[in-house]
Structures are given as C-alpha cells and as structure tokens.
Amino acid sequence: MRGMSLIVKTITNSIIGFIFIYGLYIILHGHLTPGGGFAGGVIIAGAFVLKILAFGSGASAEKRSTTVASIFESVGALLFIGVAMSGLLLAGTFFLNFLPKGVPLHLLSAGIIPLCNIAISIKVGAGLFSIFLALAAMKYIVED
Amino acid sequence: MIELYLFLIFMLIAAIIAIEIQDLLAAIISLGAVGFSVAIMFIFVHAPDLAIVQIVVEVLTVVIFVAVVLRTTHVDETIGKKLSGTQILSIVFYAFFVILFLTVMIRSLQELPAFGNATMKVAKEYIKLGLPQTGGANIVADVILDFRALDTLGEATVLFTSVIGVAALMRKVGRK
C-alpha cells in the first residue's frame, strides 16, 4: 500500500503517540470510567491502521504484520480463557472473581476485571487490525 | 424524546441513500452517518460506554470500507438494472416475511413497559450488588466482565470466528 503526502506523515507522527496513550487509558481505567477493553482495543487498532495508511507498507511487511496480529489475537483469547480457567482451578467456578477486590475507585481494584479488559483489548485490537490487513492486502492476492 | 425521533428519521434516510446510491464511496459515507447517529442517540439516553464503542468501531469500519473501495471499484453496477424473475420472487418473499414479522413485533411491543420505565428486576440486583461484590466502579464493566462474563466470552468467540473467516477468504496459500 502506498503512503500519503508529507503533511499527513508529519501529523501522524505527532499524534499517533497520543492515540496509543488514550487507548491504554481507556483499557486500564475500564473498571472505573466508561470504556473498557473493547473500545480501547479498537482505538489502538485504529492507531496501527493510521500508521499503515499514512506511511504505506509493502506486501512482505503486510504479510509479516498479519502473522504477528493473528498471534496476538490468539494470545488475547488464550489470556481471557486463562483468567476464566484460573477461577475454575483456584476457586472452583468458571469466571469467578478470585482476586482481592481492593478499594473502590482505585486503579488496582475489582479483582479480575482489569485483567479481562487487557485480554479483550489485545484480542479485539489484533483481530480488527488483522481484518484491515487482510482486506487492504487483498490487491496483492488478486494481482498475483 | 423528540430528538431521538429526529435521529431515527435521519438514520432511515441515510440508510435508504446507502442502499440506492450508485457511487460506493457515497454509500459508505451514508452508512457512517447511520452509525454516528446511533452513537449520538446513545449519548442522549445516557449510555457513554456504548457511545464510545460505537464511535470508535464506526470510525474503524468506515476507514476499512474506504480503504477497500479505493482499491477495488467505485460503482455499484447492480443498481438501475432490470430485475430478473428470481429477484422479483425473492423480493415478494422478503416483503411477505417483513409484513409477518412487523405484525408479530407490533403486537409484542405493545406488551412492553413504556420508554424509560423498564421493569429492571435483574438490573436492580446488579446495580445494588455491583460495587460491593466486584469492587469495580463502572457498573457496565461489572456486568459484562463479572456477572455476565460468559456472554463476553461468546462475543469474543464471534469476533474470533469473523477474523478466521476473513483470513480464510483472503488467503494466498492454497488458493486456486
């Protein structure tokens, strides 16, 4: 995929970090404020999509990114199921909130909910990014 | 309440434009208008969680659609052609089932409580027990990741399946 003009590249360079930080904030504060793993994961996937659209990438880089994104998606799914299964193994119930609850409205509270948010964000972000890559890299498949 | 109806009418017009217009880019923009109207309606009914998710997903889907359309074709060639016999038959069947569904739906909707006065039998328990039992201050996160975590697992499975489907359709290896 070809990149865009110098103006787009410069603006992308300066705002992409803020998009990442905002996505991380939405994920990590998912149990305190509106948002959560799904929204934060989509924001981080959007940052990757912005980078690909602005700077462009070759067919080989897209293939490599697709592999990495699918690995990350599987890791996210396994993390989510792992949190659920650890509730089953440690305390006897699937998806039991076995961690200490902590003080409400603090960042480290709510037991397994932040862990689930992180797992879902990895899964959703990598999944949507790999869908984008598969659809955007389609041209190379058709032309071959 | 009136603004919700205004947005509904706007969404209906945008959806009809998205179906009927011949330029695919304009159709995508109309589809985006529908999605953003849904997000604004979520804000009006005080659902910021859903509004955030709707806005970011809508932005990403519109970007993906535009990226795909820019590298394939701009024109929907199926619009404006004469309908074949099977298409007319399927439209008749479709209209029949829509009318059937609407009559059943209107009768069942009359049984529901009025807008804004939900029964809240289960939701009351969630609101009461959410903070003490899970420790999470955001009640939506408490419900989707603690009380109803199995639903979230199913939703994650749906997304996983869709990614596998896209990857299988767009694969390079093993394709004839």
Side-chain angles (χ1 to χ4, degrees):
Chain A
M1 185 182 264
R2 278 188 305 121
M4 290 188 184
S5 68
L6 183 66
I7 300 170
V8 180
K9 284 180 184 169
T10 312
I11 292 175
T12 306
N13 262 337
S14 43
I15 67 168
I16 200 163
F18 293 109
I19 300 178
F20 264 108
I21 292 172
Y22 184 61
L24 287 178
Y25 165 80
I26 290 268
I27 293 165
L28 294 179
H29 288 71
H31 54 299
L32 305 175
T33 52
F38 201 96
V42 179
I43 289 172
I44 287 184
F48 278 108
V49 168
L50 176 66
K51 188 190 165 295
I52 293 266
L53 284 179
F55 288 91
S57 68
S60 61
E62 275 175 8
K63 190 163 165 32
R64 200 169 60 237
S65 317
T66 313
T67 318
V68 175
S70 32
I71 289 172
F72 263 98
E73 205 209 351
S74 310
V75 165
L78 286 177
L79 263 178
F80 192 41
I81 297 190
V83 171
M85 287 302 288
S86 55
L88 181 64
L89 293 177
L90 294 176
T93 313
F94 201 58
F95 270 118
L96 187 76
N97 200 340
F98 61 92
L99 288 175
K101 306 290 180 293
V103 188
L105 292 169
H106 281 230
L107 190 57
L108 288 176
S109 66
I112 63 166
I113 292 179
L115 293 178
C116 290
N117 265 331
I118 292 169
I120 289 177
S121 69
I122 294 173
K123 197 187 133 31
V124 170
L128 286 179
F129 184 56
S130 62
I131 286 180
F132 169 78
L133 280 177
L135 291 174
M138 184 175 69
K139 196 177 176 195
Y140 304 103
I141 299 171
V142 173
E143 278 180 356
D144 281 344
Chain B
M1 196 61 192
I2 184 76
E3 66 268 13
L4 291 183
Y5 283 114
L6 286 178
F7 271 107
L8 271 181
I9 294 167
F10 177 70
M11 279 165 62
L12 276 177
I13 295 171
I16 291 170
I17 290 174
I19 296 171
E20 289 298 329
I21 205 162
Q22 206 155 21
D23 188 2
L24 281 177
L25 271 179
I28 291 165
I29 302 300
S30 305
L31 203 62
V34 176
F36 282 112
S37 309
V38 175
I40 295 170
M41 282 170 73
F42 280 144
I43 296 173
F44 274 127
V45 295
H46 306 294
D49 269 279
L50 288 171
I52 289 175
V53 171
Q54 179 68 29
I55 286 175
V56 291
V57 169
E58 198 59 41
V59 168
L60 200 63
T61 46
V62 167
V63 165
I64 289 177
F65 276 144
V66 170
V68 170
V69 163
L70 280 183
R71 54 195 49 234
T72 51
T73 175
H74 283 236
V75 184
D76 187 356
E77 282 161 356
T78 56
I79 290 175
K81 283 194 178 161
K82 280 188 93 175
L83 295 171
S84 65
T86 45
Q87 280 173 325
I88 292 174
L89 191 69
S90 60
I91 288 173
V92 169
F93 269 113
Y94 181 72
F96 172 72
F97 279 109
V98 163
I99 290 168
L100 190 74
F101 176 71
L102 277 181
T103 44
V104 175
M105 193 184 77
I106 286 170
R107 291 192 63 165
S108 61
L109 280 183
Q110 283 165 348
E111 303 289 318
L112 283 179
F115 183 78
N117 305 310
T119 18
M120 305 259 293
K121 269 180 190 158
V122 184
K124 254 186 220 153
E125 294 296 309
Y126 284 161
I127 292 170
K128 202 169 69 187
L129 298 174
L131 191 56
Q133 284 210 348
T134 68
N138 183 5
I139 186 74
V140 179
D142 295 347
V143 173
I144 66 168
L145 291 177
D146 196 300
F147 296 124
R148 296 283 181 97
L150 271 178
D151 280 356
T152 311
L153 187 62
E155 174 209 10
T157 315
V158 169
L159 190 71
F160 197 75
T161 316
S162 68
V163 172
I164 289 176
V166 170
L169 280 175
M170 298 292 163
R171 76 190 185 281
K172 201 171 181 179
V173 182
R175 206 182 173 92
K176 212 165 60 167

